Amino acid sequence: MGRPMAFEIESVVRAAREAFWRRGYEATSISEIEEATGIARSSIYHVFGSKRGLFIASLRSYINEVLTPDLEPLRNRAGRETIIGYMETLRSAILSGRSFVAVHGSMLINVSSGRPGGDPDVANVVRDFLDEQLRMLRRGIRARFPGMEAAESQSLAQTLQALVISALTLVRLDPEWAARNLDVALSMLGDCAVPSR
């Protein structure tokens, strides 16, 4: 029987996640990961196989623990105001100046625009989340505009997702500009006219 690990894998992944989120995959060295996680590189390689393996685990952790909880209201109890709440929560985080997303941007967007985004496994993780986000936005739109045609609902969901992605791309450059993209999204959610049946 092997020697039990003297660390919690989830804690290591979270610590590595913050390091990758701050500096990006390429700029984060194994030495920095050792320092952030408090474990030796031999243990990192033993458990995760490589820096890339730890990075993919960190990205999944980011999606599961940071992004997915914001989608839960849309999944579980979408009402007329739920999608508004989703956009307003994101807008507040962008403008807070103190949240991790305000300081370091979105790990998902940072990954997509950097070298790891070309890795097929990383691309699949990102794509799976974006597909889920789009489904939840459609769900929120259906709750807000129950009479909207499916094609229009799909188009609106894609537009809202594009505005969210744009906001998260711009947040480190200009938070006010990023927030204005979400203002456009909120305006669309307030102004959509649904024909009566």
Side-chain angles (χ1 to χ4, degrees):
M1 183 173 185
R3 196 176 67 180
M5 282 181 275
F7 56 85
E8 290 236 351
I9 290 176
E10 292 82 3
S11 299
V12 168
V13 169
R14 286 186 194 107
R17 177 180 84 198
E18 290 200 13
F20 286 129
W21 195 353
R22 280 191 178 95
R23 295 183 41 77
Y25 177 77
E26 290 296 323
T28 306
S29 68
I30 286 290
S31 297
E32 289 169 318
I33 293 169
E34 285 180 301
E35 185 177 335
T37 61
I39 64 169
R41 69 185 64 200
S42 59
S43 293
I44 291 169
Y45 291 134
H46 175 71
V47 174
F48 301 100
S50 63
K51 172 183 165 182
R52 174 184 173 275
L54 177 55
F55 176 75
I56 290 173
S58 298
L59 182 58
R60 285 193 172 112
S61 167
Y62 172 76
I63 289 169
N64 293 335
E65 296 182 9
V66 178
L67 298 181
T68 300
D70 289 340
L71 294 176
E72 285 307 307
L74 291 167
R75 183 189 326 279
N76 295 326
R77 53 186 180 281
R80 284 186 48 82
E81 300 302 315
T82 310
I83 195 165
I84 299 289
Y86 176 75
M87 294 294 172
E88 288 178 341
T89 298
L90 181 55
R91 186 181 187 282
S92 295
I94 283 172
L95 290 176
S96 75
R98 296 178 307 278
S99 70
F100 230 82
V101 71
V103 176
H104 301 291
S106 164
M107 185 176 178
L108 197 79
I109 302 302
N110 298 347
V111 164
S112 300
S113 60
R115 185 172 168 204
D119 179 309
D121 292 329
V122 172
N124 285 335
V125 171
V126 172
R127 195 177 296 112
D128 286 347
F129 172 75
L130 292 176
D131 286 345
E132 177 66 4
Q133 182 188 49
L134 189 60
R135 277 193 296 275
M136 293 305 102
L137 289 172
R138 281 199 310 262
R139 190 179 183 98
I141 289 165
R142 283 195 304 271
R144 184 153 184 84
F145 306 112
M148 185 177 280
E149 296 290 338
E152 188 179 356
S153 173
Q154 174 70 14
S155 177
L156 179 57
Q158 290 174 315
T159 301
L160 295 178
Q161 186 177 51
L163 287 165
V164 168
I165 290 169
S166 174
L168 293 172
T169 303
L170 293 168
V171 62
R172 289 183 296 173
L173 174 70
D174 189 333
E176 296 286 339
W177 193 352
R180 284 198 296 273
N181 283 349
L182 296 179
D183 290 339
V184 172
L186 286 163
S187 174
M188 293 178 78
L189 288 168
D191 294 341
C192 281
V194 181
S196 57
R197 295 194 177 254

